[in-house]
Amino acid sequence: MMAGAEYDVIVVGAGFGGPVAARECAQAGLSTLLLERASTPGQKVISSCTIPFYGFLFGPEWIRNGEPPIERPISGIRNIFIRDGKTYRVDNSFRVPAPLGPRIAIGYTVYCRPFCTWLAERAVEAGAELRTSTAAVDVIKEGGAVRGVITDGGEELRCRILIDAEGVQNLVATRAGIRKPYRPEVIELCLLYDFEMGKEDIDRVCGYNLEYFWAMPEEGMIAPLGRGSAVYIFPYRESIHMTIGQFLKADDGEVLNVKLLDRYYEKFFQTDRWRDLYEPRVKLRARIWDTCPIYAGLYPDQRNMPTFGEGILLLGDAAGLEAAAIADGVPTAWFSAQIAAQTAIESLRAGDTSASFLSRYDRRLREHPLITALISDPHRRDLAQAAKSGDEAEMRRRVNRGWGIRLMGHLAPPVMRAVYREIRRDARVVKSWLDMFNRYWRLYA
Ligand SMILES: Cc1cc2nc3c(=O)[nH]c(=O)nc-3n(C[C@H](O)[C@H](O)[C@H](O)COP(=O)(O)OP(=O)(O)OC[C@H]3O[C@@H](n4cnc5c(N)ncnc54)[C@H](O)[C@@H]3O)c2cc1C
């Protein structure tokens, strides 16, 4: 084993959460190392996603006030139902009304690699060291406390606090002995298609909307809910991205054949909307597989695993903070990264890295106005049950509640709590929010 350098903080993972934690620690004057197994930050995260507005509003100020590489503002969600292979109805749609939308957006689509690279560059600017192409394969433990990592190159890197931001994989957390791997029932395997499409065509077909396609299980076209997700189409600057997901194992114990995803796509590509509006205008660029622990929050045993231990804090997906309700994990990765950094700074200043000191991290996660609401909202499970019942009216009601205009019913109270908390801290934040929407609109244009 080669002895390497020693740091105050090592952050494992330069996805969405790791660079945020690394930047905050480095900014506070701590010697900080950010480790990433891929050759660039964000390379091993999903290729692209939509980051909801509340991540930007209530997450790090330097992201809000910065110029991150966003792709396209999103100001609406279109729900499209499929019956007998035909898209027959667009309803329940959620939209920020003109003239506010699309300038006031409900989220921004981004490609992960440039976005996470931008985040990591901000961490490096603040003084963090970034090491790419380096995986943590084990942890160093002394007297039950985590004191660093061992890399795939056999190097021992020591630290006073380890921040685990490794995403869904959970290798570090399991090696540290504080979490069990996710159960396959909570992990969704996604098959993503990335297509080039001209901006004018995107403007005409998608506008500033995400498109969600829903079908009853008998269509055999979309993973029956409860076993996977609907088809999502997300527009970018000059491309669109689509996803269908499926659990590694169904709730009833059945292990599903992942080849099914190809069959769902084959059928989806036959629908009228795809054939008439998309197919003539797109060119396939990439086909990507990825996994996300999307339902962790719906199972108390998965949700309630520890988020800290002796000398270690877990954030984002590694801590089970994927938002089960709406399949968004970036905002909670950012919120938890900030709280983890704040806790690490306090702990190092106090010279106490014990689990009992670090337990304040878990308490703060639970006290956050949005995190628990986002990860434990049951509406996806309700959707799954509606699909199983075969009652289309019930399913539409559930789609409306989860993705339609009634989304505000359950999202509004925690968002309002977060607004209240921020304004109480400093009312000038409202101006910074409005400036952000304007600046991001200009960045896009
Ligand atoms: C298909 C799909 C679609 C999604 N869509 C959305 C969406 O639209 N909106 C949204 O908000 N969220 C979405 N998510 C969820 C979101 O991507 C995650 O919740 C978010 O990336 C979590 O951030 P993180 O920092 O915890 O982990 P990640 O962003 O996954 O980062 C983990 C990083 O750690 C690195 N790493 C892992 N193990 C090691 C190791 N041992 N040593 C060194 N480095 C390591 C990885 O390479 C990676 O860079 C989606 C996820 C998937 C899979």
Side-chain angles (χ1 to χ4, degrees):
M1 209 64 67
M2 292 175 286
E6 188 156 350
Y7 299 86
D8 291 323
V9 179
I10 295 179
V11 181
V12 177
F16 278 99
V20 168
R23 185 189 186 277
E24 315 265 310
C25 290
Q27 189 77 17
L30 301 178
S31 61
T32 307
L33 173 67
L34 176 58
L35 273 189
E36 171 53 51
R37 70 182 159 149
S39 58
T40 58
Q43 184 183 336
K44 294 238 168 132
V45 191
I46 35 154
S47 66
S48 66
C49 65
T50 305
I51 306 181
F53 72 101
Y54 45 80
F56 294 94
L57 296 196
F58 312 122
E61 211 183 314
W62 51 272
I63 299 181
R64 182 165 68 241
N65 297 339
E67 300 200 340
I70 54 162
E71 283 279 317
R72 192 175 175 90
I74 296 299
S75 59
I77 296 174
R78 262 186 208 151
N79 287 306
I80 300 173
F81 282 77
I82 302 171
R83 185 189 287 153
D84 299 330
K86 289 196 171 52
T87 50
Y88 71 99
R89 194 161 186 167
V90 177
D91 70 351
N92 297 331
S93 294
F94 175 83
R95 186 174 309 110
V96 179
L100 297 177
R103 191 180 282 252
I104 301 288
I106 58 166
Y108 297 90
T109 53
V110 309
Y111 276 97
C112 299
R113 196 196 301 210
F115 201 96
C116 294
T117 300
W118 182 86
L119 293 174
E121 281 166 1
R122 304 289 80 73
V124 170
E125 263 172 25
E129 179 184 334
L130 169 68
R131 263 215 230 176
T132 51
S133 304
T134 311
V137 293
D138 209 344
V139 294
I140 302 168
K141 273 183 119 178
E142 279 169 10
V146 175
R147 290 287 168 248
V149 291
I150 298 170
T151 69
D152 51 353
E155 199 176 1
E156 273 190 8
L157 296 171
R158 303 181 71 84
C159 59
R160 293 157 74 201
I161 292 216
L162 184 68
I163 297 185
D164 178 8
E166 65 182 322
V168 49
Q169 197 182 16
N170 264 15
L171 176 94
V172 172
T174 359
R175 301 298 280 182
I178 57 172
R179 277 177 90 89
K180 295 193 200 92
Y182 287 119
R183 281 199 268 114
E185 294 91 315
V186 308
I187 297 188
E188 192 177 50
L189 179 69
C190 299
L191 177 54
L192 302 112
Y193 275 77
D194 189 52
F195 294 97
E196 288 170 23
M197 185 167 169
K199 182 179 178 310
E200 279 178 16
D201 287 332
I202 297 176
D203 288 346
R204 214 173 12 250
V205 177
C206 307
Y208 293 92
N209 299 293
L210 305 179
E211 293 197 341
Y212 291 168
F213 294 81
W214 305 93
M216 297 307 284
E218 61 268 18
E219 292 290 331
M221 174 185 315
I222 288 175
L225 292 160
R227 295 168 169 232
S229 297
V231 178
Y232 304 153
I233 296 188
F234 289 0
Y236 295 79
R237 266 174 207 273
E238 299 207 58
S239 56
I240 60 160
H241 210 82
M242 61 192 286
T243 323
I244 305 184
Q246 177 180 292
F247 289 106
L248 299 182
K249 193 172 166 196
D251 224 359
D252 58 13
E254 192 188 338
V255 177
L256 302 166
N257 176 351
V258 292
K259 288 206 179 120
L260 276 175
L261 289 176
D262 280 328
R263 285 228 306 271
Y264 299 143
Y265 271 110
E266 257 170 46
K267 288 201 167 185
F268 181 76
F269 290 145
Q270 298 306 316
T271 57
D272 46 6
R273 188 169 176 82
W274 179 264
R275 269 202 338 259
D276 300 345
L277 293 179
Y278 284 99
E279 196 175 79
R281 299 177 170 87
V282 297
K283 186 165 155 231
L284 182 61
R285 188 161 60 177
R287 200 167 168 269
I288 307 140
W289 295 88
D290 211 331
T291 52
C292 54
I294 213 165
Y295 275 62
L298 293 184
Y299 296 83
D301 66 314
Q302 304 283 288
R303 183 169 74 232
N304 293 327
M305 282 196 273
T307 56
F308 65 97
E310 299 284 340
I312 180 169
L313 297 166
L314 276 53
L315 61 82
D317 282 5
L321 302 180
E322 169 76 57
I326 45 177
D328 290 326
V330 172
T332 46
W334 286 350
F335 304 152
S336 57
Q338 284 190 295
I339 304 172
Q342 181 197 351
T343 310
I345 295 162
E346 287 168 9
S347 127
L348 292 176
R349 285 189 181 146
D352 183 352
T353 59
S354 67
S356 76
F357 190 98
L358 297 180
S359 64
R360 63 181 66 185
Y361 171 63
D362 195 64
R363 200 176 56 246
R364 286 170 178 165
L365 290 179
R366 287 169 205 280
E367 282 167 5
H368 189 281
L370 275 163
I371 292 178
T372 303
L374 286 170
I375 66 175
S376 57
D377 187 286
H379 108 258
R380 277 185 158 243
R381 186 174 42 214
D382 298 344
L383 256 174
Q385 275 158 8
K388 258 188 211 154
S389 76
D391 180 345
E392 192 174 321
E394 174 63 8
M395 166 114 145
R396 291 162 52 90
R397 206 170 69 77
R398 294 291 175 188
V399 168
N400 187 22
R401 186 174 129 66
W403 304 99
I405 193 69
R406 283 183 58 206
L407 172 67
M408 291 314 289
H410 60 108
L411 204 54
V415 167
M416 290 318 292
R417 273 198 294 279
V419 166
Y420 176 68
R421 189 179 81 152
E422 295 303 313
I423 289 181
R424 226 175 38 165
R425 271 193 200 147
D426 184 352
R428 281 170 301 181
V429 74
V430 177
K431 180 170 180 315
S432 129
W433 290 338
L434 293 173
D435 286 349
M436 182 205 82
F437 284 122
N438 277 324
R439 195 173 51 263
Y440 282 17
W441 177 252
R442 284 198 303 273
L443 280 182
Y444 164 71

